[in-house]
Amino acid sequence: MKRAKILSAVLAAALLFVGCNENTEPEESKKDKNKDKDKGSVSDSIIMDDNDGGANNIDADLNPEHAELGIWDILPKIDETDASAFTFKYDSSLGGMVISDYLKESPKIRIPDKIEGEPVVKVDFENVEKDLTEIVLPDTVSDFSLSEQIKQSLEYVNIPNSVTNIADDAFYKCSNLKEAYIGSGVTKIGDYAFKDCTSLTNITIPDSVTEIGEHAFSNCTSLTSITIPNSVTKIGDSAFYYCTSLTSVKIPDSVTSIGNSAFSSCTSLTSITIPDSVTEIGSNAFYGCTSLTSINIPDSVTEIGNYTFDGCTSLTSITIPNSVTSIGIAAFQDCTSLTSITIPNSVTEIGGSAFHYCRRLTSITIPDSVTEIGEYAFNVCKNIQVTYKGKTYDYDHIYGLYKAING
């Protein structure tokens, strides 16, 4: 009887095992069917959790050993729960995957380099209304965009080596952004790219960058130092306008043009080196740099623009090279610490109010090359002694000089 019961139990178990095999479809077959079902359509999401085999595959792809250019070695570590549990909405286009939404609530995310075996080429978070603090992008992404809400909460981001151009307004008004890593593939930092990033304390611009756009770092009031690489040829208008914590800047030999208001109102800037490669210094370039004590103007510069050093109240002396032919309107206005200046024989024009309110300026020599002096050029320079080397019978010129001093 006991043997019969045991045989019955074994037989029942065998039948149950066979039944399970008949009704259970292999995992690989399921995946193939789902893939065929979704082929050619937009996938709603991909979910990779800690208990999902897919997470392990993605983690393997994101392992530093597999990062082609070593980007994961230099990026900050994100908690494993945030890094491995993803939910994305995506579609296949542009020769790869485009991620358009992030469906979980974690504030820190790391974008995978592949989804369904295809590279992630773009992150379009233009319409994602979430408070994200950290975003890490892989070296497969060549384009990205962020919503206004993300910009307000973002604290860290990396621009991968695969990105060549940081778009205009890319991080405009990211007021909580503390750190941004710029990859070695970037050649241009667009207009307003980091404008109003008031928490940004430092940033490294790679040697690949050739152009810094207009207002690129304007109003980055916590930025204390900046290194401009030798690859940069142009610093755009107002590029570092109102960077009030910036103390020093070294401009490399590759730069040929400093834009209008490029360093205007950098009130902590004490020194700046301008190389001989610079041929153009824009209007208002150093306007209101109240801590600037000295500056060299290289022989390559032919014109000092309007308001270039206006309001540089700590500037005590300056040498104008023989290459300069004109001094613009209010170029040195309100340089209240300036005591002396030499105008070379190359100068033909001194603009109106050029040295207006330079109260400590005691002497100046105007060479005979000067043919035009604007009104109020030396107005309120009460202690000044002017030596004029022009022709004594040039009454129009003498009258112009009178107007320049007395208004």
Side-chain angles (χ1 to χ4, degrees):
M1 181 65 71
K2 287 183 179 180
R3 181 179 296 178
K5 288 183 178 180
I6 292 172
L7 289 174
S8 298
V10 170
L11 180 61
L15 290 173
L16 180 60
F17 177 76
V18 171
C20 289
N21 281 342
E22 289 177 352
N23 295 321
T24 302
E25 187 175 0
E27 286 297 318
E28 293 299 324
S29 176
K30 280 185 178 183
K31 289 180 181 177
D32 291 340
K33 283 189 177 183
N34 290 335
K35 189 173 183 180
D36 292 339
K37 181 180 177 181
D38 294 338
K39 189 175 183 181
S41 63
V42 175
S43 301
D44 288 334
S45 65
I46 178 170
I47 303 175
M48 291 170 273
D49 293 318
D50 289 332
N51 297 321
D52 182 15
N56 294 328
N57 292 334
I58 291 298
D59 285 344
D61 289 338
L62 293 179
N63 190 288
E65 295 178 2
H66 297 277
E68 184 179 356
L69 298 178
I71 191 170
W72 305 112
D73 294 331
I74 57 178
L75 296 175
K77 178 175 175 57
I78 297 177
D79 295 339
E80 188 64 24
T81 53
D82 295 329
S84 62
F86 290 111
T87 301
F88 294 111
K89 181 177 180 181
Y90 61 89
D91 66 88
S92 180
S93 62
L94 302 175
M97 291 296 184
V98 176
I99 294 178
S100 58
D101 202 359
Y102 172 65
L103 304 176
K104 285 202 171 184
E105 296 302 321
S106 171
K108 302 178 181 182
I109 63 172
R110 187 168 68 193
I111 304 295
D113 55 0
K114 289 181 181 179
I115 293 179
E116 294 185 3
E118 293 189 48
V120 176
V121 296
K122 182 178 180 180
V123 175
D124 182 6
F125 281 177
E126 194 78 38
N127 297 312
V128 175
E129 300 303 320
K130 283 185 171 62
D131 293 332
L132 302 180
T133 60
E134 293 186 8
I135 301 176
V136 177
L137 302 169
D139 275 331
T140 54
V141 169
S142 58
D143 191 17
F144 63 91
S145 58
L146 306 175
S147 68
E148 292 302 317
Q149 183 169 336
I150 292 176
K151 288 181 180 181
Q152 290 174 10
S153 59
L154 192 64
E155 295 179 7
Y156 172 83
V157 70
N158 73 297
I159 296 93
N161 299 329
S162 48
V163 172
T164 58
N165 179 29
I166 300 179
D168 296 348
D169 306 308
F171 301 101
Y172 178 38
K173 290 186 178 180
C174 288
S175 58
N176 289 303
L177 185 65
K178 296 181 177 66
E179 188 177 358
Y181 168 81
I182 301 178
S184 60
V186 174
T187 59
K188 180 183 178 181
I189 300 175
D191 297 343
Y192 299 85
F194 293 92
K195 186 180 187 296
D196 293 345
C197 292
T198 52
S199 298
L200 189 65
T201 56
N202 64 79
I203 193 164
T204 300
I205 301 174
D207 291 339
S208 55
V209 173
T210 59
E211 183 177 346
I212 299 174
E214 296 181 9
H215 287 276
F217 297 95
S218 177
N219 200 35
C220 290
T221 52
S222 297
L223 194 64
T224 57
S225 64
I226 190 84
T227 299
I228 301 173
N230 286 322
S231 52
V232 173
T233 59
K234 179 182 179 182
I235 299 174
D237 294 349
S238 301
F240 297 95
Y241 169 77
Y242 209 74
C243 290
T244 53
S245 297
L246 194 63
T247 57
S248 64
V249 174
K250 184 177 181 181
I251 299 173
D253 293 336
S254 55
V255 173
T256 59
S257 174
I258 299 174
N260 298 331
S261 301
F263 296 94
S264 177
S265 298
C266 291
T267 53
S268 297
L269 189 65
T270 58
S271 64
I272 189 162
T273 301
I274 302 175
D276 291 337
S277 57
V278 173
T279 59
E280 181 182 357
I281 300 176
S283 299
N284 298 84
F286 300 97
Y287 172 86
C289 292
T290 53
S291 298
L292 191 64
T293 57
S294 63
I295 193 165
N296 68 301
I297 300 174
D299 292 337
S300 50
V301 173
T302 59
E303 179 182 348
I304 299 176
N306 298 339
Y307 306 95
T308 300
F309 299 100
D310 185 1
C312 292
T313 54
S314 297
L315 195 63
T316 57
S317 65
I318 193 162
T319 300
I320 300 174
N322 289 322
S323 56
V324 172
T325 59
S326 66
I327 298 172
I329 295 171
F332 296 94
Q333 179 175 247
D334 286 328
C335 290
T336 52
S337 297
L338 194 64
T339 57
S340 65
I341 193 163
T342 300
I343 299 176
N345 291 326
S346 56
V347 173
T348 61
E349 179 183 353
I350 300 173
S353 299
F355 298 92
H356 174 72
Y357 215 76
C358 292
R359 295 177 298 172
R360 296 184 183 178
L361 193 61
T362 57
S363 65
I364 191 164
T365 299
I366 301 174
D368 58 4
S369 58
V370 174
T371 58
E372 183 178 345
I373 302 175
E375 290 189 12
Y376 306 104
F378 302 97
N379 194 33
V380 198
C381 298
K382 295 183 178 180
N383 299 314
I384 194 170
Q385 290 183 347
V386 178
T387 301
Y388 169 56
K389 291 188 175 182
K391 298 175 183 177
T392 55
Y393 54 81
D394 186 355
Y395 295 108
D396 290 338
H397 195 172
I398 293 173
Y399 176 71
L401 180 57
Y402 175 82
K403 290 285 288 182
I405 297 173
N406 300 292

